[in-house]
């Protein structure tokens, strides 16, 4: 029925809190094995869109389809089964503060597999090493820095080798070298494991380095104003704001136009 | 810090133009800015005289354009910017404002402050509700809150059921930690409160019973009152303030950190994982705390009995033993267990429903204590009526 190359398709999505609409008429497809970037100004609803894709918030209207399955029309058991294929890195890391880094990564594996402790330990060590945190197993989240929390959160997101990875501003708070390493890791995950990756980010360098496709959600228009590969959008911006965003505000003088 | 308003006659620039000449130091940096604000009206109402002069000039009519002359302005800061913005907002009467005369930096800062449009569809746009509407909303709110609480209680008890069938996923080590926090660590405050309650009960009874020479019945009063009613209720109230608030704050903070979301996306039930261990800890520990509280309350009564009322130790103990039986103690212990679950559930519920800010977590803790105490006292009254009807 549906295109097997499409991992997620969003149709006529309207999101908001009660009467307060954040975005409406969102329509886009995320292909299997691609890196899809969600861009937009601050407060435009990028994190909210991500929460909808993960199934943490219910749309006011519209559908979010995973392959043939409409997420919010499916029974809860099916939704849960689907969620197990997701890995999520939250904006703040969201590590479970009462557990060590080791426990944080090990807990999902324990829950969803029947591996022995030895195998789990080996997997956890590998995931922590992958994000550059080898040797930090016994640390509690409160004992590591903000950037390290992000990376530990990433290790946990990778715990179950998910089919779809969601990142909320992964490189915010990272130094340029770590951010570059993270981009490389994201590309590597796509190439070697075929993971579909959805990233919310503002970092232009990162956007151009990793994105196969992208969407721009506009806080003023309250809908998507651009869809496509970011380099193409930069050269053919559908709206002035998208062009400004992708060229980092170049070519626009604050004194012109906006001034009273 | 001087200003001058020149209307067209004086400035000779054109019909209907007003020139605002601002000169001198409008920043007032240095020592003068630090003097105490009290009594210094001029500083407090910075630029108010300028605005009122301007308004008078505009009311005189005939002005269609305001220009600025700042060639002799030596220094300025945000205070002047705010003034200019206030002037610009007087545009209502079709007066053009020509900002070419303002310093370039000042114009740019104003432009920057306008570059991001304000969010217009929320906030003060809504008129404040009237009394009738408020009363209505609050009444509807009571019902929906009651419904939400009942639902949460139901979901939590289901989780209890899952624990017995071994299906609930939670950390056993959490239960141990919570038991320690809710049990041994609570002993000091439970001790002090209950000894004093025994003392108060004994004094209260003694005043009346002395009139009939029946001081010995103080032992009955203390033992019965303490085991059946006071110990479970007061211990639960102490636990609501101590542990219920802590639970709300813990879960609220986890909500802020997106830890609860992370649990959900990995397929863990936050109820099983977070609420169940806390509920279990209080349900297990409260009966022991109540037993302990019974003993200490009776001890407090005994202290008053032997000192103030001249009852002998043997007499007091005998009278106490005769006055209560196992049913009284069991009733108190059972109530304690129910209250324990109640305290845990209200604490966890407000924590789970907490908003994502520091003040929201504070509100959650407050609500947990307030609704916990109300629930405990309400249940105590209900239990008393039930016990009387059933003859327990
Ligand atoms: N719980 C909530 N209740 C009401 N409004 C909310 C809530 N959470 C977020 N919002 C509003 O939704 C809008 C989008 O928020 P969101 O966090 O999705 O923005 P964002 O695009 O991720 O911004 P940023 O880039 O700064 O992270 C904002 O205007 C915000 O005020
Ligand atoms: Mg965000």
């Amino acid at each position: 029925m549906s295109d097997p190359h499409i991992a997620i398709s969003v149709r006529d999505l309207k999101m908001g809190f009660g009467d307060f609409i954040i975005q409406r008429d969102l329509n886009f497809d995320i292909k299997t094995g691609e890196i899809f970037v969600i861009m937009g100004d601050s407060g435009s609803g990028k994190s909210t869109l991500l929460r909808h894709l993960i199934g943490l918030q219910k749309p006011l209207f519209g559908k979010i389809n995973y392959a043939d399955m409409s997420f919010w029309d499916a029974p809860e058991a099916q939704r849960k089964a689907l969620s197990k294929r997701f890995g999520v890195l939250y904006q703040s890391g969201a590590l479970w503060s009462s557990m060590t880094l080791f426990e944080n990564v090990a807990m999902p594996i324990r829950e969803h597999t029947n591996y022995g402790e030895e195998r789990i330990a080996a997997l956890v060590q590998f995931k922590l090493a992958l994000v550059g945190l080898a040797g930090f197993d016994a640390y509690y989240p409160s004992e590591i820095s903000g950037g390290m929390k992000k990376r530990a959160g990433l290790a946990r997101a990778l715990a179950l080798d998910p089919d779809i990875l969601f990142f909320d501003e992964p490189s915010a708070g990272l130094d340029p070298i770590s951010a570059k390493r993270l981009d490389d890791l994201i590309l590597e995950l796509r190439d070697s494991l075929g993971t579909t990756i959805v990233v919310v980010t503002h970092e232009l360098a990162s956007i151009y380095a990793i994105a196969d496709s992208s969407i721009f959600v506009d806080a003023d228009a309250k809908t998507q104003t651009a869809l496509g590969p970011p380099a193409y959008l930069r050269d053919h911006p559908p709206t002035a704001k998208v062009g400004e965003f992708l060229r980092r505000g170049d070519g626009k003088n604050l004194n012109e136009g906006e001034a009273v | 810090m001087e200003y001058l308003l020149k209307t067209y006659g004086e400035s000779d620039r054109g019909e209907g133009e007003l020139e605002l000449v601002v000169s001198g130091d409008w920043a007032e940096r240095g020592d003068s800015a630090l003097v105490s604000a009290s009594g210094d009206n001029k500083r407090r109402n910075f630029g108010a005289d300028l605005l009122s002069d301007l308004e008078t000039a505009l009311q005189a009519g005939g002005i269609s354009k305001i220009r600025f002359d700042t060639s002799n302005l030596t220094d300025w800061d945000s205070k002047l910017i705010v003034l200019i913005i206030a002037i610009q907002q007087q545009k209502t009467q079709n007066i053009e404002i020509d900002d070419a005369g303002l310093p370039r930096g000042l114009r740019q800062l104003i432009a920057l402050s306008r570059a991001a449009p304000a969010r217009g569809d929320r906030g003060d746009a809504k008129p404040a509700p009237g009394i009738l509407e408020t009363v209505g909303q609050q009444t509807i709110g009571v019902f929906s809150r009651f419904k939400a609480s009942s639902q949460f209680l139901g979901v939590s008890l289901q989780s209890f059921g899952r624990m017995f069938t071994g299906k609930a996923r939670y950390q056993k080590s959490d239960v141990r930690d919570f038991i320690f926090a809710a049990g041994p660590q609570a002993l000091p405050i439970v001790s002090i409160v209950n000894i004093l309650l025994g003392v108060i009960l004994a004094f209260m009874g003694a005043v009346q019973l002395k009139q009939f020479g029946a001081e010995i019945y103080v032992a009955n009063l203390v033992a019965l009152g303490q085991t059946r009613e006071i110990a479970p209720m007061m211990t639960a109230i102490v636990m609501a303030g101590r542990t219920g608030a802590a639970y709300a704050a813990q879960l609220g903070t986890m909500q802020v950190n997106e830890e609860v979301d992370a649990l959900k996306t990995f397929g863990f039930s936050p109820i099983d994982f977070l609420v169940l261990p806390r509920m279990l800890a209080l349900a297990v520990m409260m009966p022991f705390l109540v037993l302990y509280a019974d003993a200490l309350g009776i001890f407090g009564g005994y202290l008053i009995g032997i000192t103030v009322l001249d009852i002998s130790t043997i007499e007091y103990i005998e009278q106490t033993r005769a006055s209560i039986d196992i049913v009284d103690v069991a009733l108190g212990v059972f109530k304690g267990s129910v209250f324990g679950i109640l305290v845990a559930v209200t604490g966890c519920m407000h924590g789970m429903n907490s908003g994502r800010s520091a003040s929201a977590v504070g509100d959650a803790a407050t609500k947990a204590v307030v609704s916990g105490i109300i629930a405990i006292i309400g249940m105590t009254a209900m239990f008393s009526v039930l016990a009387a009807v059933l003859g327990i």
Side-chain angles (χ1 to χ4, degrees), chain B residues 48-102:
Chain B
D49 41 357
L50 188 159
L51 279 183
S52 68
D53 283 357
L54 184 69
E55 200 169 327
T56 323
L58 290 180
Q59 266 163 5
I63 290 167
S64 58
K65 185 168 180 179
I66 299 177
R67 279 186 290 109
F68 298 93
D69 177 356
T70 53
S71 42
N72 289 323
L73 184 63
T74 53
D75 199 4
W76 54 272
D77 63 8
S78 316
K79 296 196 287 293
L80 183 60
I81 299 186
V82 176
L83 262 184
I84 303 288
I85 290 179
I87 294 172
Q88 286 178 341
Q89 278 164 352
Q90 296 196 335
K91 267 196 349 185
T92 41
Q93 310 107 323
N94 295 331
I95 296 173
E96 186 192 340
I97 292 180
D98 175 6
D99 60 5
L102 291 172

Side-chain angles (χ1 to χ4, degrees), chain A residues 20 51 54 56 80 83 88 90-92 94-97 99 103 107-108 111-112 156 220 222 254-255 258 260, chain B residues 91 99 104 107-108 111-112 114-115 117 119 121 169 171 257-259 261-268 273 356:
Chain A
F20 173 57
R51 287 175 62 82
I54 304 162
L56 285 174
K80 262 197 164 161
S83 307
V88 187
Y90 291 88
Q91 198 161 356
S92 59
L95 295 169
W96 296 309
S97 47
M99 296 178 218
E103 286 300 323
M107 199 171 83
E111 170 72 13
H112 295 302
R156 189 183 62 183
D220 303 320
K222 294 198 182 302
L254 269 171
N255 253 345
E258 303 275 347
V260 176
Chain B
K91 267 196 349 185
D99 60 5
R104 191 177 136 76
R107 269 181 293 147
Q108 270 179 336
L112 259 182
R114 299 216 163 124
R119 176 157 154 179
D121 46 6
R169 295 315 232 79
Q171 292 213 306
N257 289 339
E258 303 178 294
E259 289 177 49
D261 289 341
L263 279 174
K264 284 190 206 153
T265 40
F266 276 116
F268 295 99
F273 205 86
R356 291 175 184 247

Side-chain angles (χ1 to χ4, degrees), chain A residues 17 20 22 41-49 91 169 202, chain B residues 119 122:
Chain A
F17 297 89
F20 173 57
I22 295 171
D41 27 358
S42 194
S44 57
K46 302 181 297 295
S47 299
T48 311
L49 176 55
Q91 198 161 356
E169 313 217 358
H202 296 296
Chain B
R119 176 157 154 179
R122 210 197 199 184

Side-chain angles (χ1 to χ4, degrees), chain A residues 143-161:
Chain A
E143 296 168 344
I144 58 177
S145 76
M148 287 157 83
K149 276 184 205 162
K150 266 234 137 112
R151 285 186 276 151
L154 176 58
R156 189 183 62 183
L158 296 175
L160 293 168
D161 292 325

Side-chain angles (χ1 to χ4, degrees), chain A:
Chain A
M1 185 170 113
S2 70
D3 186 344
H5 300 298
I6 302 226
I8 310 174
S9 75
V10 172
R11 290 289 170 267
D12 302 326
L13 177 67
K14 175 168 160 188
M15 31 184 227
F17 297 89
D19 294 341
F20 173 57
I21 309 295
I22 295 171
Q23 289 284 327
R24 57 162 61 91
D25 300 328
L26 298 184
N27 282 291
F28 57 92
D29 292 331
I30 299 174
K31 296 199 191 72
T32 308
E34 81 172 350
I35 298 175
F36 186 88
V37 169
I38 300 173
M39 317 178 281
D41 27 358
S42 194
S44 57
K46 302 181 297 295
S47 299
T48 311
L49 176 55
L50 205 65
R51 287 175 62 82
H52 280 76
L53 294 180
I54 304 162
L56 285 174
Q57 199 175 331
K58 201 173 166 161
L60 293 182
F61 182 81
K63 287 202 189 317
I64 299 170
N65 299 315
Y66 288 86
D68 277 343
M69 174 188 154
S70 165
F71 191 89
W72 288 102
D73 296 326
E76 174 155 8
Q78 222 171 323
R79 289 212 295 262
K80 262 197 164 161
L82 185 71
S83 307
K84 281 176 201 166
R85 295 169 38 212
F86 297 167
V88 187
L89 173 60
Y90 291 88
Q91 198 161 356
S92 59
L95 295 169
W96 296 309
S97 47
S98 62
M99 296 178 218
T100 61
L101 296 195
F102 182 94
E103 286 300 323
N104 262 282
V105 183
M107 199 171 83
I109 307 181
R110 264 194 210 119
E111 170 72 13
H112 295 302
T113 68
N114 48 13
Y115 298 164
E117 276 306 305
E118 225 166 280
R119 188 151 168 213
I120 291 177
L123 278 171
V124 174
Q125 309 286 7
F126 169 67
K127 308 272 147 134
L128 284 175
L130 206 56
V131 297
L133 285 175
F136 283 92
D137 330 25
Y139 282 63
Y140 281 93
S142 56
E143 296 168 344
I144 58 177
S145 76
M148 287 157 83
K149 276 184 205 162
K150 266 234 137 112
R151 285 186 276 151
L154 176 58
R156 189 183 62 183
L158 296 175
L160 293 168
D161 292 325
D163 294 342
I164 311 178
L165 262 172
F166 297 90
F167 293 92
D168 198 352
E169 313 217 358
S171 39
L174 294 185
D175 62 278
I177 300 171
S178 307
K180 168 81 170 54
R181 269 198 57 177
L182 186 67
D183 285 349
D184 293 344
L185 179 59
I186 291 175
L187 288 168
E188 195 55 50
L189 287 169
R190 177 196 62 183
D191 295 341
S192 53
L193 297 174
T195 314
T196 306
I197 299 171
V198 182
V199 189
V200 170
T201 182
H202 296 296
E203 301 283 322
L204 280 184
S206 180
I207 290 173
Y208 291 126
I210 60 172
D212 294 315
S213 183
S214 66
I215 187 174
F216 187 92
V217 286
D218 190 313
D220 303 320
K222 294 198 182 302
T223 186
Q224 70 193 62
T225 51
L227 183 64
Y232 177 85
L233 293 177
R234 176 193 50 200
D235 299 334
H236 308 89
T239 69
K241 193 163 171 185
V242 173
E244 198 194 339
F245 183 97
L246 285 169
R247 289 192 310 272
R248 209 171 186 203
D250 281 359
K252 189 174 171 233
N253 188 333
L254 269 171
N255 253 345
E256 293 164 13
E258 303 275 347
V260 176

